Amino acid sequence: MTHKIAILGASGYTGAELVRLIAGHPNMEIVALAAERKAGQSMADVFPHLRHMDLPRLCRIDEIDFGSVDLCFCALPHKTSQEIIRDLPKTLKIVDLSADFRLRDPDAYETWYGNPHVALECQEEAVYGLTEFYREEICAARLVAGTGCNAATGQYALRPLIAAGVIGLDDIILDLKCGVSGAGRALKENLLHAELSEGTNAYAVGGTHRHLGEFDQEFSKLAGRPVRVQFTPHLIPVNRGILATTYVSGNAQDIHDTLTAAYADETFVEVLPFGQTPSTHHVRGSNFCHIGVTGDRIEGRAIVVAALDNLTKGSSGQALQNANLMLGEEEVTGLMMAPLFP
Amino acid sequence: MTHKIAILGASGYTGAELVRLIAGHPNMEIVALAAERKAGQSMADVFPHLRHMDLPRLCRIDEIDFGSVDLCFCALPHKTSQEIIRDLPKTLKIVDLSADFRLRDPDAYETWYGNPHVALECQEEAVYGLTEFYREEICAARLVAGTGCNAATGQYALRPLIAAGVIGLDDIILDLKCGVSGAGRALKENLLHAELSEGTNAYAVGGTHRHLGEFDQEFSKLAGRPVRVQFTPHLIPVNRGILATTYVSGNAQDIHDTLTAAYADETFVEVLPFGQTPSTHHVRGSNFCHIGVTGDRIEGRAIVVAALDNLTKGSSGQALQNANLMLGEEEVTGLMMAPLFP
Amino acid sequence: MTHKIAILGASGYTGAELVRLIAGHPNMEIVALAAERKAGQSMADVFPHLRHMDLPRLCRIDEIDFGSVDLCFCALPHKTSQEIIRDLPKTLKIVDLSADFRLRDPDAYETWYGNPHVALECQEEAVYGLTEFYREEICAARLVAGTGCNAATGQYALRPLIAAGVIGLDDIILDLKCGVSGAGRALKENLLHAELSEGTNAYAVGGTHRHLGEFDQEFSKLAGRPVRVQFTPHLIPVNRGILATTYVSGNAQDIHDTLTAAYADETFVEVLPFGQTPSTHHVRGSNFCHIGVTGDRIEGRAIVVAALDNLTKGSSGQALQNANLMLGEEEVTGLMMAPLFP
Amino acid sequence: MTHKIAILGASGYTGAELVRLIAGHPNMEIVALAAERKAGQSMADVFPHLRHMDLPRLCRIDEIDFGSVDLCFCALPHKTSQEIIRDLPKTLKIVDLSADFRLRDPDAYETWYGNPHVALECQEEAVYGLTEFYREEICAARLVAGTGCNAATGQYALRPLIAAGVIGLDDIILDLKCGVSGAGRALKENLLHAELSEGTNAYAVGGTHRHLGEFDQEFSKLAGRPVRVQFTPHLIPVNRGILATTYVSGNAQDIHDTLTAAYADETFVEVLPFGQTPSTHHVRGSNFCHIGVTGDRIEGRAIVVAALDNLTKGSSGQALQNANLMLGEEEVTGLMMAPLFP
């Protein structure tokens, strides 16, 4: 059986990545691609790397017949997403890649994103889309909220450790190195090649990055008490990839054992042998997340490093993994491609 | 039916690329991976991006039971390749990725490569592996010689034009821009990141690049008279991709028509609308070749630009395409993945 | 004696490069920096790499007291430049970095740039700014028109050869590889890091690039007959640098001799030993141009390759070199910094 | 008066950087360049970007007449350095760029570097070369030990804070992002462009990086008690630049005030306005270090980020700064060039 798929926001990087992945999925067919400002254009005009595919022309959202759609990926900006999703048929399965349905608490949403939430009913039913930890809820969900790509990376490193109580909760530091595609296709001066290549800098320093809303929500829920981490993202001159270097207190061997056990049955999360560290080079273009654990020379301190591709495991691959569950497909279908190296 | 596959030279980039591609092939199974100097190591040690795969450990070639192998990819250096292939079972199907069996004339081989050929019998039966132009011979072949990656790019741009007689034969210029993975994983100073990034230079200037042997052989055969082109490769700071800018005399519209007709039924070669030019960005990691034609302001001059990924369509993807034909599989099986962008 | 310098268009890359260079000039002082849209900001806000310098705040052009300025660099967009320069004091020395005064023929200007010229009187007196070839005129000039960066690179390779009659005039091909800073700081999708890094493409294919106006003018003047070259620029993922690979007919040794003699007394143009080829890596951030000559395997064909930094020798360094002459300074003052490598 | 300068180890990146810098120094003249394995070659062969300079041919160390040398820069590998320096004339002024004389305690040296020290007498007299903090000793020194580039970056961020007692001493974390030139010109697989570009990874994780010996020594001395920091370096795909993100406890405003006061009179260390963060883009090729301070959302936690160019301020620029002091020159002579951007 072939599932009919629509993608809203098809002219951005996560939209294109969804198309790339679905192209390799045996049981999905893209029936609609929406991009308001580019409606009427062919996908080959917007993304020439997809020119070999037989795809519907870009259209406006209101041109889509959602009655014949089985599942809709929504890759629109936050705020727009909730306005659109609120008005979609209430029976339509939706995987949202925006930030709009990630935070359970509407006040937290408004605090981090600056605007009041206008689709509270949808938010109510949304399931947080970190597949490995919400698998059952996702299978039964109508609306799944894809996680932030930084938020995903940090959580893969830390969730099992917080849940198992093997690390201290009051001195967690996440130092992230992020590829530029995470910032999207927007025309900003700091994203120009001449400005961004050949250097690096921190941004959103001091606890102002919006993905902290997700860390706070999820880590506190796991711990059963408020947990607030320090998180500093850095922009590095690579297109894809996030490396999360996390500094924690705890016994490094226990930490490694805990992670190894937690991910033993997971296809996409690989815990490296103790003392090895991952590289974003080795997950590029794939749905894999590599995790490494090393003990520090300082007794009781450890470093946990996680690497994934922000466009795949961090957003569109995760979205497809969730869609598979929602549609009764094998979770891994269409997602087993090996990373591209070099 | 599953074909048993061996790869010799599995620790280089083309070897790793073969593994990546075969991982997505439904009817192939890798049963042996050889790499003399790294024998005994796991593939994950040598290429951590393949760590999720269940692969045989690296071994020496003499440890392989070729009786249970259906097809062998040989990704060894030239000269070594002929010595190894000479001694492999004469019934074994082989796709060679080296330069050793590309040139029909042993003297030409010695001229370009500096050493006499020691496997003339194999060379005799070898078929030149540019799939779209040797399809029938490849289907029937036991030994296929994969083309040079630069040679492939130039030929996709020019073969139909020479065959159709729509361009002049005495003033063809190929200016190529080549990604660094084409130089392999060898430790050379000029391949260091600090030396190679942030700049470009020509190399093998003046008609000394070995792939000219292939151009001479193939273009002369097509034209029925000697054809010698000017060819200058340049090293650019990208990992994958070759862009061939070819300068020819002829009517641009005729040229475009000829290419469009020649590739009308080809899955992997896309001729862009007249006046558009391709980019290596849009073929990365894929088996596609994009070709564009533009007329120059100077009457009777045209520019034909071809782009492909040197590791995929330029070598390992081509090799798999040929192996499919040799094994009676659909030619495109395992090769339809979309390019990775960005 | 210290010359008072003003820079109009100080918020672009050529403006910043002028500031960087003048900072090392013992006899120049920047007294005004204009940037209409960013007037009021400090230069450190716009270019943090200049924060250690004591510079005037950015202002509007009409705020500048040109009576106290000795020389004005104008780094504004074409069309705007002529409108501004027309209204500047007629006694003010000006080095213009735009395209507005490069072409002697107003019709040629309109053909290539699309708008009629509105400052014909200034155009009349402007001197073409390729220092090594217009040195005397520049010394005496009030208004010098900086050359296009591509135009400069191609001319360094070819002018002495055309002047000496050692190459054919009807089959000259220039294939250029250009760093991204040449496109300026404008917000365009194809200049984003995610779009531009890790790949290459040709642009303005077929003889449509505006710098052809300069090639036509200068080469025809030198030859005493119309000369039209084929010229294809390519965008490569480096910030600085142009490599011009030129294909010509002629005797390679004569060509090398001619270039060696032509540049024997030039500080900034280095002709490499016969058979060596230059790299943009080795001129980055400097005012040097390296040129290499190689004979092709095809009798009577040669390749001449020139490399320079588009922001330095290709624009702002050239501009300072010209300003030195106009102000009676040593031509090389402030310009002898070594390239930055790696 | 012109000082006669020798450089030992001139074929590495720090050697070439010294030549680049000294080229702009009015009172220094390079009289000898040694590189054992490349003795006899011209510097232009080894570093074509220096071809415009009139430099002595590379020689062996034993060919140098040290009697006519005023100051010798030693840019050799550790272990070799001490063996060479031990045998140089005892009156010769030396700036060593290796690790051999950085650690005061010979046991600490052996612990971190694995070999016993064989030039204890020299080690005794050596002065640690972090100019801003050892200025007086350096002025009087015969032998100055240049600091590690990572060690320098971290110390610029933290020394004044430890000295002033405004941060906690037991929870300091340094997460560094390092450009590849810091690893030198050695042929290692992980330094190849194809392996290193387009990704990032941590290395020497867990407190094993040798520069920790310097942090331990200097921070403990400042604090008057043992201080051990956590330090994780990461390799990023840029050629030059180190960004040190340091996580500390303390009042962010006090921290900013302390740093601002400490560096108020320093030419090369710039403390940004509170809340701004530096970028390695803005110090490339220069001798400047930019420092930013931001308070975290977590009360009592702050982030201090320092950026410098590892080849300039982190090694060769620092070395020249020290040489200036040792020779009675102005400290900043030859070092005021602006960063190269873009």
Side-chain angles (χ1 to χ4, degrees):
Chain A
M1 179 197 155
T2 298
H3 311 286
K4 311 282 191 202
I5 303 295
I7 300 174
L8 314 186
S11 63
Y13 292 145
T14 52
E17 182 76 349
L18 281 166
V19 174
R20 177 178 82 93
L21 296 174
I22 292 172
H25 195 294
N27 302 324
M28 288 190 181
E29 181 196 352
I30 296 173
V31 296
L33 292 169
E36 300 304 287
R37 279 196 309 259
K38 304 198 170 170
Q41 296 187 35
S42 76
M43 200 63 173
D45 290 336
V46 178
F47 285 116
H49 71 293
L50 301 174
R51 61 174 301 119
H52 64 284
M53 294 179 64
D54 187 23
L55 292 169
R57 210 159 256 282
L58 290 170
C59 67
R60 295 195 319 277
I61 293 172
D62 62 17
E63 293 177 289
I64 300 176
D65 168 18
F66 285 102
S68 67
V69 171
D70 294 312
L71 185 140
C72 176
F73 292 100
C74 188
L76 297 165
H78 79 93
K79 191 156 180 290
T80 303
S81 297
Q82 55 188 267
E83 292 163 7
I84 297 293
I85 287 174
R86 180 185 53 186
D87 298 338
L88 291 177
K90 284 290 167 291
T91 53
L92 182 65
K93 287 181 199 292
I94 299 171
V95 179
D96 182 36
L97 284 80
S98 86
D100 274 358
F101 298 99
R102 294 171 186 166
L103 300 185
R104 309 311 311 141
D105 176 359
D107 290 343
Y109 177 82
E110 190 167 346
T111 301
W112 285 106
Y113 290 89
N115 52 290
H117 207 291
V118 300
L120 292 177
E121 207 176 313
C122 292
Q123 197 204 27
E124 190 86 9
E125 64 169 322
V127 172
Y128 191 67
L130 202 67
T131 326
E132 286 77 5
F133 299 97
Y134 286 90
R135 192 170 271 127
E136 236 170 285
E137 294 91 326
I138 291 167
C139 285
R142 184 187 78 87
L143 171 58
V144 169
T147 73
C149 52
N150 296 316
T153 319
Q155 288 182 70
Y156 283 121
L158 296 176
R159 285 187 73 112
L161 308 179
I162 293 172
V166 296
I167 59 171
L169 298 177
D170 297 318
D171 57 357
I172 299 171
I173 289 176
L174 290 86
D175 188 287
L176 264 67
K177 294 85 182 166
C178 309
V180 62
S181 63
R185 212 178 193 182
L187 297 179
K188 295 181 189 163
E189 197 173 78
N190 74 314
L191 303 183
L192 292 174
H193 186 279
E195 307 273 328
L196 191 133
S197 69
E198 275 295 295
T200 187
N201 60 275
Y203 66 98
V205 184
T208 60
H209 195 288
R210 288 161 165 180
H211 289 181
L212 276 167
E214 293 173 66
F215 285 132
D216 287 358
Q217 167 180 292
E218 295 298 310
F219 291 161
S220 299
K221 189 170 145 199
L222 275 174
R225 49 153 277 197
V227 176
R228 306 181 89 203
V229 300
Q230 258 191 295
F231 159 46
T232 311
H234 299 73
L235 199 50
I236 57 169
V238 311
N239 289 334
R240 289 168 174 256
I242 297 176
L243 192 83
T245 310
T246 68
Y247 297 88
V248 294
S249 57
N251 178 283
Q253 195 60 65
D254 289 350
I255 287 170
H256 189 258
D257 292 348
T258 302
L259 288 168
T260 303
Y263 295 121
D265 296 330
E266 293 297 343
T267 301
F268 294 121
V269 185
E270 300 249 342
V271 180
L272 309 188
F274 187 79
Q276 290 188 15
T277 46
S279 167
T280 63
H281 292 96
H282 302 138
V283 294
R284 182 166 55 230
S286 83
N287 206 48
F288 294 98
C289 174
H290 289 184
I291 301 178
V293 178
T294 312
D296 196 76
R297 60 168 186 159
I298 299 173
E299 186 71 25
R301 301 284 309 165
I303 298 105
V304 183
V305 184
L308 53 72
D309 182 322
N310 55 298
L311 283 183
T312 320
K313 189 59 176 159
S315 50
S316 299
Q318 180 199 76
L320 180 56
Q321 196 177 346
N322 290 333
N324 277 336
L325 292 179
M326 295 163 78
L327 292 167
E329 292 285 326
E330 290 291 320
E331 184 176 329
V332 305
T333 304
L335 290 166
M336 292 303 293
M337 62 281 169
L340 193 74
F341 177 87
Chain B
M1 179 196 155
T2 298
H3 310 286
K4 310 282 190 200
I5 304 294
I7 301 174
L8 314 186
S11 63
Y13 291 146
T14 52
E17 182 75 350
L18 281 167
V19 174
R20 177 179 82 92
L21 296 174
I22 293 172
H25 196 294
N27 301 325
M28 287 190 181
E29 181 195 352
I30 296 173
V31 296
L33 292 170
E36 300 304 287
R37 279 197 309 260
K38 303 199 170 169
Q41 296 187 36
S42 76
M43 200 62 174
D45 290 336
V46 177
F47 285 116
H49 71 291
L50 300 174
R51 61 174 300 119
H52 64 284
M53 294 178 64
D54 186 22
L55 293 168
R57 210 160 257 280
L58 291 170
C59 66
R60 296 196 318 276
I61 293 172
D62 61 18
E63 294 176 288
I64 299 177
D65 168 18
F66 284 103
S68 67
V69 170
D70 294 313
L71 185 140
C72 177
F73 292 101
C74 189
L76 297 165
H78 79 93
K79 190 157 180 291
T80 303
S81 297
Q82 55 188 266
E83 293 163 7
I84 297 293
I85 287 174
R86 180 186 51 187
D87 297 337
L88 290 178
K90 284 290 167 291
T91 53
L92 182 65
K93 286 181 199 294
I94 298 172
V95 178
D96 182 37
L97 284 79
S98 86
D100 274 358
F101 299 98
R102 295 171 185 165
L103 301 185
R104 309 312 311 141
D105 175 0
D107 291 342
Y109 177 82
E110 190 166 348
T111 300
W112 285 107
Y113 290 90
N115 53 290
H117 207 292
V118 301
L120 292 177
E121 205 175 313
C122 292
Q123 198 203 27
E124 191 87 6
E125 64 170 322
V127 172
Y128 191 65
L130 202 67
T131 326
E132 286 76 4
F133 299 97
Y134 286 90
R135 191 170 272 125
E136 237 170 283
E137 294 91 327
I138 292 167
C139 285
R142 184 188 78 85
L143 170 59
V144 169
T147 72
C149 52
N150 296 317
T153 319
Q155 288 183 68
Y156 283 122
L158 295 176
R159 284 188 75 111
L161 307 179
I162 293 172
V166 295
I167 59 171
L169 298 178
D170 297 318
D171 58 356
I172 300 172
I173 290 176
L174 290 86
D175 188 286
L176 264 66
K177 295 84 183 166
C178 309
V180 62
S181 63
R185 214 179 191 182
L187 297 180
K188 296 181 188 161
E189 197 173 77
N190 73 315
L191 303 183
L192 292 175
H193 186 279
E195 307 273 329
L196 191 134
S197 70
E198 275 296 295
T200 187
N201 59 276
Y203 66 98
V205 184
T208 62
H209 194 287
R210 289 161 164 181
H211 290 182
L212 276 167
E214 293 173 65
F215 286 132
D216 288 356
Q217 167 180 291
E218 295 297 311
F219 291 161
S220 298
K221 188 171 146 196
L222 275 174
R225 49 151 277 197
V227 176
R228 306 181 89 205
V229 300
Q230 257 191 296
F231 158 46
T232 312
H234 299 74
L235 198 51
I236 57 169
V238 311
N239 289 333
R240 288 169 175 256
I242 297 176
L243 192 84
T245 311
T246 68
Y247 298 88
V248 295
S249 56
N251 178 283
Q253 194 60 63
D254 289 351
I255 288 170
H256 188 258
D257 291 347
T258 302
L259 289 169
T260 303
Y263 296 121
D265 295 329
E266 293 296 342
T267 301
F268 295 121
V269 185
E270 301 247 342
V271 180
L272 309 188
F274 187 78
Q276 289 189 16
T277 46
S279 166
T280 64
H281 292 97
H282 301 138
V283 293
R284 183 165 56 229
S286 83
N287 205 49
F288 295 98
C289 174
H290 289 183
I291 301 177
V293 179
T294 312
D296 195 76
R297 61 171 186 158
I298 299 174
E299 186 71 24
R301 301 284 308 165
I303 299 105
V304 183
V305 184
L308 54 71
D309 182 321
N310 55 297
L311 283 183
T312 319
K313 188 60 174 160
S315 50
S316 300
Q318 181 200 77
L320 180 55
Q321 196 176 345
N322 290 333
N324 277 336
L325 292 179
M326 294 162 79
L327 293 167
E329 293 284 328
E330 289 291 321
E331 184 176 329
V332 305
T333 303
L335 290 166
M336 292 303 293
M337 63 281 168
L340 193 75
F341 177 86
Chain C
M1 181 198 154
T2 298
H3 311 285
K4 310 282 190 202
I5 304 294
I7 300 174
L8 314 186
S11 62
Y13 291 145
T14 52
E17 182 76 349
L18 281 167
V19 174
R20 177 178 82 92
L21 296 174
I22 292 173
H25 196 294
N27 302 325
M28 287 190 181
E29 180 195 353
I30 296 172
V31 296
L33 292 169
E36 300 303 288
R37 279 196 310 259
K38 304 199 170 170
Q41 296 186 36
S42 76
M43 200 62 173
D45 290 336
V46 178
F47 286 115
H49 71 292
L50 301 174
R51 61 173 302 119
H52 64 286
M53 296 179 63
D54 186 23
L55 293 168
R57 211 159 256 281
L58 291 170
C59 66
R60 294 197 318 276
I61 293 172
D62 61 17
E63 294 177 287
I64 300 176
D65 168 19
F66 286 102
S68 66
V69 171
D70 295 312
L71 185 140
C72 177
F73 292 100
C74 189
L76 297 165
H78 78 93
K79 191 158 181 290
T80 303
S81 297
Q82 54 188 266
E83 292 162 7
I84 297 292
I85 288 173
R86 181 186 51 185
D87 298 337
L88 291 178
K90 284 291 165 293
T91 54
L92 182 65
K93 287 182 199 292
I94 298 171
V95 178
D96 182 36
L97 285 80
S98 86
D100 273 359
F101 299 98
R102 296 170 186 166
L103 300 184
R104 308 313 310 140
D105 175 359
D107 291 343
Y109 176 82
E110 189 166 349
T111 300
W112 285 107
Y113 291 89
N115 52 290
H117 206 292
V118 300
L120 291 176
E121 205 176 314
C122 293
Q123 199 204 26
E124 191 88 6
E125 65 169 320
V127 172
Y128 191 66
L130 202 67
T131 326
E132 286 77 5
F133 299 97
Y134 286 91
R135 192 171 271 127
E136 236 170 283
E137 294 90 325
I138 291 167
C139 286
R142 184 187 78 86
L143 170 58
V144 170
T147 73
C149 52
N150 296 317
T153 319
Q155 288 181 69
Y156 283 120
L158 296 175
R159 284 187 76 111
L161 308 179
I162 293 172
V166 295
I167 60 171
L169 298 177
D170 296 318
D171 57 356
I172 300 172
I173 290 176
L174 290 86
D175 187 287
L176 264 67
K177 295 83 183 169
C178 308
V180 62
S181 63
R185 211 178 194 183
L187 298 179
K188 296 180 189 162
E189 197 172 76
N190 73 315
L191 302 182
L192 292 175
H193 186 279
E195 307 272 329
L196 192 133
S197 69
E198 275 296 294
T200 187
N201 60 275
Y203 66 98
V205 183
T208 61
H209 194 288
R210 289 160 163 179
H211 290 182
L212 276 167
E214 292 173 66
F215 286 132
D216 288 357
Q217 168 180 292
E218 296 297 311
F219 291 160
S220 300
K221 189 172 146 198
L222 276 173
R225 48 153 277 196
V227 176
R228 307 182 88 204
V229 300
Q230 258 192 297
F231 159 44
T232 311
H234 299 74
L235 199 52
I236 57 169
V238 311
N239 289 334
R240 287 168 175 257
I242 297 177
L243 192 83
T245 310
T246 68
Y247 297 88
V248 295
S249 56
N251 178 282
Q253 194 60 66
D254 289 350
I255 287 170
H256 189 257
D257 291 347
T258 303
L259 289 168
T260 304
Y263 295 121
D265 295 329
E266 293 297 342
T267 302
F268 295 121
V269 185
E270 301 248 342
V271 180
L272 308 189
F274 187 79
Q276 289 188 16
T277 46
S279 166
T280 63
H281 292 96
H282 301 138
V283 293
R284 183 166 54 229
S286 84
N287 205 48
F288 294 98
C289 174
H290 289 184
I291 301 178
V293 179
T294 312
D296 196 76
R297 61 170 187 158
I298 299 174
E299 186 70 23
R301 301 284 308 165
I303 298 106
V304 183
V305 184
L308 54 70
D309 182 322
N310 55 297
L311 283 183
T312 320
K313 188 60 174 158
S315 50
S316 300
Q318 181 199 77
L320 180 55
Q321 195 176 347
N322 290 334
N324 278 337
L325 292 179
M326 296 162 78
L327 293 167
E329 293 285 327
E330 291 289 320
E331 184 176 329
V332 305
T333 304
L335 290 166
M336 291 305 293
M337 64 280 167
L340 192 75
F341 177 87
Chain D
M1 179 197 156
T2 298
H3 311 286
K4 310 282 191 202
I5 303 295
I7 300 173
L8 313 186
S11 63
Y13 292 145
T14 53
E17 182 76 349
L18 281 167
V19 174
R20 177 178 82 93
L21 296 174
I22 293 172
H25 196 294
N27 301 325
M28 288 190 180
E29 181 197 352
I30 297 173
V31 296
L33 292 169
E36 300 303 287
R37 279 197 309 260
K38 305 199 169 169
Q41 297 188 35
S42 75
M43 199 63 174
D45 291 336
V46 178
F47 285 116
H49 71 291
L50 301 174
R51 62 174 299 120
H52 64 286
M53 294 177 64
D54 186 22
L55 293 168
R57 210 159 258 281
L58 291 170
C59 66
R60 294 196 318 277
I61 293 172
D62 61 18
E63 293 177 288
I64 300 176
D65 168 19
F66 285 103
S68 67
V69 171
D70 294 312
L71 185 140
C72 177
F73 292 101
C74 189
L76 297 165
H78 79 94
K79 191 157 178 293
T80 302
S81 298
Q82 54 188 267
E83 293 162 7
I84 297 293
I85 288 174
R86 181 186 49 186
D87 298 338
L88 291 178
K90 284 290 167 292
T91 53
L92 182 65
K93 287 182 199 292
I94 299 171
V95 178
D96 182 36
L97 284 81
S98 85
D100 274 359
F101 299 99
R102 295 171 186 165
L103 301 184
R104 310 310 312 141
D105 175 0
D107 291 343
Y109 177 81
E110 189 167 348
T111 300
W112 285 107
Y113 291 90
N115 53 289
H117 207 292
V118 302
L120 292 177
E121 206 176 312
C122 292
Q123 199 204 26
E124 191 86 7
E125 64 169 324
V127 172
Y128 191 67
L130 202 67
T131 327
E132 286 77 3
F133 299 97
Y134 286 90
R135 191 171 272 126
E136 238 170 283
E137 294 91 326
I138 291 167
C139 285
R142 184 188 77 86
L143 170 59
V144 168
T147 72
C149 52
N150 297 316
T153 320
Q155 288 182 69
Y156 282 122
L158 296 175
R159 284 187 74 112
L161 308 180
I162 293 172
V166 295
I167 60 170
L169 297 178
D170 296 318
D171 57 355
I172 299 172
I173 290 176
L174 289 87
D175 187 286
L176 264 67
K177 295 85 183 167
C178 309
V180 62
S181 64
R185 213 178 192 182
L187 297 179
K188 295 180 189 163
E189 197 173 78
N190 73 315
L191 302 183
L192 292 174
H193 186 279
E195 307 273 329
L196 191 134
S197 71
E198 275 296 293
T200 187
N201 59 276
Y203 66 98
V205 183
T208 61
H209 195 288
R210 289 160 163 182
H211 290 182
L212 276 166
E214 292 174 66
F215 285 132
D216 288 358
Q217 167 180 293
E218 295 298 310
F219 292 160
S220 298
K221 189 171 145 198
L222 275 174
R225 51 152 278 196
V227 175
R228 307 182 88 204
V229 300
Q230 258 192 294
F231 159 45
T232 311
H234 299 74
L235 198 51
I236 58 169
V238 311
N239 289 335
R240 288 168 174 257
I242 297 176
L243 192 84
T245 310
T246 68
Y247 297 89
V248 295
S249 57
N251 178 282
Q253 195 60 64
D254 290 351
I255 288 170
H256 189 258
D257 291 348
T258 302
L259 288 168
T260 303
Y263 296 121
D265 295 331
E266 294 297 343
T267 301
F268 294 122
V269 185
E270 301 248 343
V271 180
L272 309 188
F274 187 79
Q276 289 188 16
T277 47
S279 166
T280 63
H281 292 97
H282 301 138
V283 293
R284 182 166 55 229
S286 83
N287 206 48
F288 295 97
C289 174
H290 289 184
I291 301 177
V293 179
T294 312
D296 196 75
R297 61 168 186 158
I298 299 174
E299 187 70 24
R301 302 283 309 164
I303 298 105
V304 183
V305 184
L308 53 71
D309 182 321
N310 55 297
L311 283 182
T312 320
K313 188 60 174 158
S315 50
S316 300
Q318 180 200 76
L320 180 54
Q321 196 177 346
N322 290 334
N324 277 336
L325 293 179
M326 295 163 77
L327 293 166
E329 293 285 327
E330 290 290 320
E331 183 176 328
V332 305
T333 304
L335 290 166
M336 291 305 292
M337 63 280 169
L340 193 75
F341 177 87

